[in-house]
Amino acid sequence: MPSHHKKLIIANWKMAPNTLAEAGQILDSVDEYLGSLNEKEISLVFCPSFVFLEEVGKILKTSHLEHQASLGAQDIFWEDAGADTGEVSGPMLNKLGVKYVIIGHSERRWKLGESDEVVNKKLKAVLRNEMVPIVCVGERVRNDNFKEFLKEQVEKTFAGLSQDDLGKCIIAYEPVWAISSNPDAHPDAPDSALESIGIIKKTLLANGHLLMANLYLYGGSVTSKNVTDFIQQQEIDGVLVGGASVNKEEFVKILSLIK
Ligand code: 13P
């Protein structure tokens, strides 16, 4: 687990890059940047596509990346074994050295129809297999009902979790309207992200969870232009970066702005 004073930067590579060679170039750039630092105030997680997990895992065990970067997956299946064509299990990921798993990403919720119930089962699979869930929540539109929407999504996503287990979770607030893949995307402002994180915490408290989740992140169109606005907030422990994390110059620029 990263220590609390360090900001956590998660690279969600989504369905990119196309080749392992390009993935290696991104990691080389980051490694070179890490090598130039004295104080290391960041923890990194790289979440490549399943097909690159094993090789990226090997690269992360080398050079400067070794002490600062961990391997993450973008999804998991909710059962540990069975006849489930196309799926990848928790034990498979754990044995590959995966430490973190993204759950409930809005692209899976909205494009692939993953319900809160499915996300909840996947969340339990991550915990059962001793990895850290990065649980994405966020409203699709910020309309008059967004608070109710967020509250219900949080209640259903975390249903049945013990306090101990909630304490192991990282929650990423990612408003769908702010994600760069959305044609109408516009970046969020820190104030509304803080308001939403407040709603998430209040919902968990109201559902009997005294212990809060371990860390709270923001995601949605994070770039070198706005990362400081989010990261300087005490309530925001890090960022989940999509598009900008597969552009090596831009990603290193983002890292250079993390204090
Ligand atoms: P973008 O940074 O491309 O908006 O993606 C955010 C995201 O979905 C990270 O999980």
Side-chain angles (χ1 to χ4, degrees):
M1 235 19 239
S3 63
H4 281 254
H5 68 280
K6 284 190 185 178
K7 295 289 181 178
L8 180 63
I9 314 300
I10 301 185
N12 176 9
W13 283 356
K14 306 191 180 183
M15 204 169 71
N18 276 339
T19 64
L20 182 60
E22 290 168 87
Q25 287 166 15
I26 299 168
L27 296 172
D28 280 351
S29 297
V30 174
D31 186 52
E32 195 181 311
Y33 171 69
L34 294 176
S36 72
L37 296 178
N38 295 324
E39 281 289 310
K40 305 194 193 299
E41 288 302 320
I42 36 180
S43 292
L44 284 158
V45 179
F46 288 93
C47 304
S49 142
F50 284 133
V51 292
F52 301 141
L53 265 182
E54 186 162 8
E55 290 304 319
V56 167
K58 286 181 195 162
I59 299 171
L60 295 184
K61 290 213 175 76
T62 61
S63 194
H64 305 286
L65 292 164
E66 187 181 2
H67 303 291
Q68 273 179 278
S70 304
L71 186 62
Q74 295 177 19
D75 192 21
I76 190 172
F77 190 57
W78 63 75
E79 283 173 13
D80 289 350
D84 297 289
T85 303
E87 295 297 340
V88 176
S89 74
M92 289 173 180
L93 295 175
N94 183 310
K95 285 192 182 78
L96 267 189
V98 169
K99 302 281 181 243
Y100 297 82
V101 185
I102 297 173
I103 300 296
H105 194 279
S106 59
E107 285 147 18
R108 300 201 64 83
R109 289 181 186 267
W110 299 113
K111 280 193 184 169
L112 295 157
E114 275 193 17
S115 63
D116 294 329
E117 289 72 22
V118 163
V119 178
N120 179 262
K121 285 199 279 188
K122 291 186 170 187
L123 169 54
K124 289 171 181 165
V126 178
L127 291 164
R128 189 169 66 237
N129 286 285
E130 297 176 336
M131 295 174 286
V132 177
I134 301 162
V135 189
C136 301
V137 292
E139 74 280 3
R140 205 169 178 178
V141 281
R142 205 167 182 92
N143 58 15
D144 290 347
N145 293 329
F146 96 92
K147 290 181 187 171
E148 274 312 303
F149 176 90
L150 201 51
K151 188 168 164 267
E152 188 181 330
Q153 193 185 53
V154 168
E155 280 172 356
K156 288 185 173 166
T157 298
F158 292 93
L161 237 67
S162 69
Q163 305 227 357
D164 259 11
D165 280 345
L166 183 68
K168 295 173 188 159
C169 293
I170 294 174
I171 298 184
Y173 169 65
E174 290 210 315
V176 183
W177 48 268
I179 295 181
S180 70
S181 53
N182 179 338
D184 308 317
H186 47 287
D188 196 4
D191 281 356
S192 58
L194 291 179
E195 183 188 12
S196 301
I197 288 173
I199 295 168
I200 295 165
K201 288 183 178 173
K202 234 166 100 179
T203 305
L204 292 170
L205 266 176
N207 283 269
H209 285 300
L210 301 175
L211 243 172
M212 292 283 102
N214 189 28
L215 297 171
Y216 289 86
L217 312 181
Y218 169 75
S221 292
V222 172
T223 64
S224 58
K225 290 200 174 65
N226 61 13
V227 65
T228 316
D229 300 340
F230 292 102
I231 219 83
Q232 70 187 5
Q233 309 291 331
Q234 209 189 336
E235 295 88 343
I236 297 180
D237 302 300
V239 283
L240 184 50
V241 187
S245 73
V246 282
N247 174 335
K248 55 184 196 291
E249 289 83 16
E250 174 66 2
F251 192 56
V252 167
K253 201 165 169 194
I254 289 174
L255 298 184
S256 72
L257 293 165
I258 312 291
K259 295 281 181 314

